[in-house]
Amino acid sequence: MCGIIGYLGDKNAKTVLIEGLRALEYRGYDSAGLAVFDRAGEVFIRKTEGKVKDLERYSASLSAEYSSGIAHTRWATHGEATGINAHPHTSSDGRVILIHNGIIENYMPLKKKLESEGARFQSETDTEVIAELISKFYESGRLIEAVASALANVQGSYGLAVMARDMPGTIVGARNGSPLVVGIGDSCLSIASDRNALPACARRIFYLDDGELVHLGAEGYRTISLANVETTKEVEDFHREIQHSDRAGYPHYMLKEIFEQPGTIADCYRGRILPQEGLARLGGLDPLDERLHDFRRIIITACGTSWHAALVGEYLIEELAGIAVEVEYASEFRYRNPIIDAHTLVLVISQSGETADTLAALREAKMRGAAVAGIVNATGSTIAREAGCGIYVHAGLEKSVASTKAFTSQVIALFLFALRLARMTKLSSDQGIRYLAELVSLPRKIENILNRAEEIRAIAGVFRGKSNCLYLGRGIQFPVALEGALKLKEVSYIHAEGYPAAEMKHGPIALIEPDMPVVVVASRCGVYEKVISNIEEIRARRGMVIAITTEGNEGIRRHVDHVFYIPEIDEALSPILTVIPLQLLAYYIAVAKGHDPDMPRNLAKSVTVE
Ligand code: F6R
């Protein structure tokens, strides 16, 4: 999704901004641009369709020293991915230069009005309208006031960084719904949509809140509300996360992150389990401690892969702790009329902690008086901060657009939470001890799977020329089937659907034709025999079955065309093992088709617009 970076300081702004854009690249985008001021105060703007490397090439002629500037990666919402629609945008008088993340909902009436007053627009974007509007209010030297006045007329979401042609040493930022973080250093000030994009000089940071503006200039920073009232910020030390930003010898981040999973899932449970007592300790949930006994119902809300983790969580919490769980798409939850009472806990899951729909669902739940907790990967993200309490999953920076290691860590966090609840109610210490013994066996078992990645690469070959496939699973494997299908769609562009295996005969069976691949997650479980019957239904129609099953299950070979074995594990934890071959399968199919799995078309890593 769109990325924002702005910089004032003694380093060459062009270099700093390009580095910042590179750090934002993983989020997915289709065009990029920058505006830089040289030491004489002249501004230069370059923007282009394509990647940051294209922008770099296109701006190679900018060889002076630049003291300030703003830069942007754009993920198209209003208007195609072209150089003209790329940001920065300027007002038609050229006085205001601006980059924007978000969607301006009332841009059409604003545009018409501004056109009737003589404005001439170059692009199809909603963003250009804000530049024009700010210029209308702008009096030299009073940029933040002009931005506040303009935003009073705007409906929608935004993270903005604005400069004025006659104020080269000033950047104004404004936030409503799209994240912005300010970085402070000894000789620099910076602003970004993601703290990982801040320059190395940023030693302390603060986050802008919705409805807040910041003025960065030679005299430091100051923040105000939209109503022009000074606000105070909590500034925190910024210890950059160890970036692991290189691919460490892997051809793609997606593969690297799949292979990181033995470590990342251990990072999620390390320090949180008491194996001798069969207990899980989750310090981040301490604020809810006294209420944990009172919850009769849990709603888990999330989007995409995180929503699939939520579905696994539903099985875990209901099975282990016996508490009723409902899983809601965050995008639906926010517009429904959810029933929430004092005994309802709302769990919000997000890798990025910035997904607009999930954030809105969290706010809706809080507004209705629910107890809320977050299960989040990105530390300091908006959802983590607004949830107030929860569980960090500690998967580390996830750069691949297709989420892999975050999913397995989310499932571990949900497992720990289920265990915590279960031990307060119906689970004995012996049972808890057994579950934890299974949990700590996972890293070794994941390694066993990863060591056999070549088997999956061979199976990927059978997808050559295929354009449709099904993923089936039952019980706790149904969300895994959904996740396998999503991964395949995202990176290989093959149409794939996930279904509960028994649902197939209620419709999807019509799709099966000779040699159509059907991936069946058939680990040994209570309904294993029924899964075999479903496989036979596919075979009867000459579909091609690829099974993921448990070691030792030699009998399945009679029923399927290809099989991949996972080590034995308790059913509650089996999704962690069954999903990994499916992640690898999607990866190898994408690569075989010549696609870059790290940059899937049309996708953004963090969906900060509705
Ligand atoms: C899939 C994927 C997306 C995200 C979804 C939610 O590979 O990455 O489906 O899971 O956009 O994102 P978060 O978890 O950041 O809220």
Side-chain angles (χ1 to χ4, degrees):
M1 199 115 292
C2 299
I4 284 180
I5 172 84
Y7 173 79
L8 306 173
D10 58 4
K11 295 266 181 309
N12 188 340
K14 182 187 155 190
T15 315
V16 173
L17 294 175
I18 295 274
E19 267 169 30
L21 291 184
R22 274 208 202 95
L24 292 166
E25 274 198 293
Y26 75 98
R27 294 176 152 244
Y29 68 104
D30 40 50
S31 51
L34 56 73
V36 280
F37 284 83
D38 67 13
R39 306 261 174 219
E42 199 178 337
V43 67
F44 300 85
I45 298 175
R46 297 286 185 277
K47 39 196 215 167
T48 179
E49 184 186 337
K51 297 295 174 196
V52 173
K53 64 175 177 350
D54 301 311
L55 177 66
E56 224 179 331
R57 210 175 306 124
Y58 184 49
S59 52
S61 58
L62 300 178
S63 54
E65 278 288 307
Y66 301 94
S67 54
S68 61
I70 50 181
H72 189 263
T73 48
R74 174 173 185 257
W75 184 81
T77 57
H78 293 66
E80 280 178 44
T82 60
I84 288 182
N85 288 335
H87 303 205
H89 287 285
T90 48
S91 53
S92 43
D93 58 13
R95 294 194 306 161
V96 173
I97 304 151
L98 163 152
I99 54 180
H100 166 224
N101 177 13
I103 292 179
I104 304 306
E105 284 159 8
N106 61 336
Y107 87 103
M108 274 317 277
L110 287 174
K111 189 170 183 173
K112 280 206 183 98
K113 182 159 184 293
L114 289 164
E115 274 171 340
S116 71
E117 291 166 7
R120 289 291 158 262
F121 292 97
Q122 312 287 321
S123 75
E124 304 154 281
T125 67
D126 50 343
T127 302
E128 200 182 353
V129 172
I130 325 173
E132 197 62 37
L133 204 55
I134 294 172
S135 170
K136 218 169 103 86
F137 291 99
Y138 182 55
E139 289 164 24
S140 193
R142 297 177 62 78
L143 185 58
I144 196 167
E145 293 81 359
V147 175
S149 305
L151 292 178
N153 295 281
V154 159
Q155 287 153 21
S157 63
Y158 50 79
L160 292 175
V162 191
M163 296 187 80
R165 197 172 280 266
D166 62 354
M167 290 178 74
T170 299
I171 298 176
V172 168
R175 173 192 166 141
N176 185 41
S178 298
L180 277 182
V181 57
V182 173
I184 306 160
D186 290 339
S187 54
C188 82
L189 285 170
S190 49
I191 188 162
S193 50
D194 178 334
R195 63 193 209 153
N196 293 311
L198 289 172
C201 62
R203 295 295 152 90
R204 291 178 306 138
I205 56 172
F206 66 83
Y207 297 92
L208 275 197
D209 289 317
D210 278 350
E212 207 172 28
L213 295 94
V214 65
H215 179 284
L216 307 178
E219 62 293 352
Y221 70 86
R222 115 184 130 86
T223 51
I224 59 166
S225 69
L226 274 174
N228 205 0
V229 178
E230 297 276 334
T231 58
T232 47
K233 298 309 296 177
E234 229 170 83
V235 179
E236 53 187 82
D237 286 342
F238 178 38
H239 303 291
R240 202 169 290 277
E241 274 161 47
I242 305 167
Q243 284 268 329
H244 299 305
S245 53
D246 66 281
R247 293 193 295 266
Y250 289 93
H252 298 100
Y253 284 110
M254 183 175 175
L255 190 63
K256 173 181 175 250
E257 288 163 9
I258 293 172
F259 272 78
E260 278 173 0
Q261 291 175 104
T264 49
I265 64 133
D267 289 343
C268 185
Y269 65 68
R270 187 173 296 117
R272 288 173 163 164
I273 55 174
L274 302 171
Q276 317 296 334
E277 291 151 59
L279 281 173
R281 194 175 42 196
L282 295 164
L285 292 180
D286 282 353
L288 288 180
D289 233 22
E290 310 224 309
R291 298 183 61 187
L292 280 184
H293 273 290
D294 295 339
F295 296 127
R296 306 267 174 276
R297 193 168 146 254
I298 296 174
I299 297 174
I300 317 181
T301 184
C303 301
T305 288
S306 298
W307 184 79
H308 297 155
L311 290 177
V312 178
E314 177 180 12
Y315 283 89
L316 291 173
I317 296 168
E318 293 194 343
E319 189 62 32
L320 270 63
I323 298 175
V325 178
E326 284 154 48
V327 176
E328 295 256 12
Y329 282 115
S331 51
E332 294 297 317
F333 180 85
R334 62 185 293 191
Y335 290 115
R336 284 205 315 106
N337 193 8
I339 297 166
I340 289 172
D341 62 20
H343 299 291
T344 308
L345 169 67
V346 177
L347 278 181
V348 174
I349 308 183
S350 175
Q351 186 287 125
S352 62
E354 301 293 352
T355 302
D357 285 324
T358 313
L359 179 59
L362 165 76
R363 289 178 178 163
E364 181 71 25
K366 277 174 90 168
M367 201 261 293
R368 287 169 182 258
V372 297
I375 295 184
V376 175
N377 189 33
T379 40
S381 54
T382 311
I383 291 175
R385 285 180 291 122
E386 292 200 13
C389 74
I391 311 172
Y392 274 125
V393 305
H394 298 315
L397 186 65
E398 192 179 61
K399 282 218 150 192
S400 161
V401 168
S403 185
T404 53
K405 62 176 182 172
F407 173 81
T408 44
S409 294
Q410 287 163 348
V411 171
I412 296 292
L414 286 159
F415 171 81
L416 295 174
F417 178 65
L419 186 68
R420 168 97 176 74
L421 290 177
R423 288 286 281 112
M424 288 166 43
T425 51
K426 61 187 245 259
L427 205 74
S428 71
S429 66
D430 274 358
Q431 288 168 307
I433 289 167
R434 274 201 295 279
Y435 273 124
L436 289 181
E438 290 286 278
L439 177 71
V440 299
S441 76
L442 276 173
R444 194 172 33 81
K445 292 176 177 170
I446 297 173
E447 264 158 25
N448 170 301
I449 292 173
L450 295 173
N451 289 339
R452 290 181 290 119
E454 281 305 313
E455 291 177 37
I456 295 288
R457 193 207 288 267
I459 294 174
V462 306
F463 284 71
R464 192 172 303 124
K466 307 291 182 205
S467 50
N468 275 304
C469 69
L470 285 177
Y471 281 68
L472 305 178
R474 296 189 77 142
I476 201 165
Q477 303 302 350
F478 164 53
V480 175
L482 290 177
E483 178 58 8
L486 179 66
K487 285 290 90 87
L488 189 71
K489 280 186 271 214
E490 285 183 294
V491 296
S492 77
Y493 318 140
I494 293 177
H495 177 240
E497 296 296 337
Y499 271 96
E503 273 294 304
M504 189 186 55
K505 54 189 168 299
H506 297 289
I509 199 162
L511 293 171
I512 293 177
E513 51 189 18
D515 289 333
M516 174 179 171
V518 182
V519 179
V520 184
V521 189
S523 59
R524 284 242 175 246
C525 62
V527 286
Y528 174 74
E529 295 307 332
K530 295 189 192 301
V531 177
I532 294 295
S533 307
N534 299 139
I535 288 175
E536 283 307 325
E537 289 156 11
I538 302 161
R539 298 268 287 173
R541 285 147 189 93
R542 295 175 45 217
M544 175 176 42
V545 179
I546 297 133
I548 309 295
T549 191
T550 320
E551 254 164 25
N553 181 9
E554 289 302 319
I556 202 167
R557 287 190 188 275
R558 283 198 306 279
H559 306 278
V560 305
D561 299 273
H562 304 276
V563 59
F564 183 85
Y565 289 102
I566 58 148
E568 270 303 339
I569 190 83
D570 186 277
E571 194 178 351
L573 289 164
S574 58
I576 301 280
L577 297 187
T578 50
V579 80
I580 290 174
L582 303 190
Q583 296 169 343
L584 286 168
L585 188 63
Y587 172 79
Y588 287 126
I589 293 170
V591 172
K593 289 185 76 185
H595 301 313
D596 177 355
D598 286 342
M599 302 265 178
R601 69 182 181 206
N602 304 338
L603 292 184
K605 180 69 185 156
S606 165
V607 184
T608 50
V609 294
E610 217 186 310

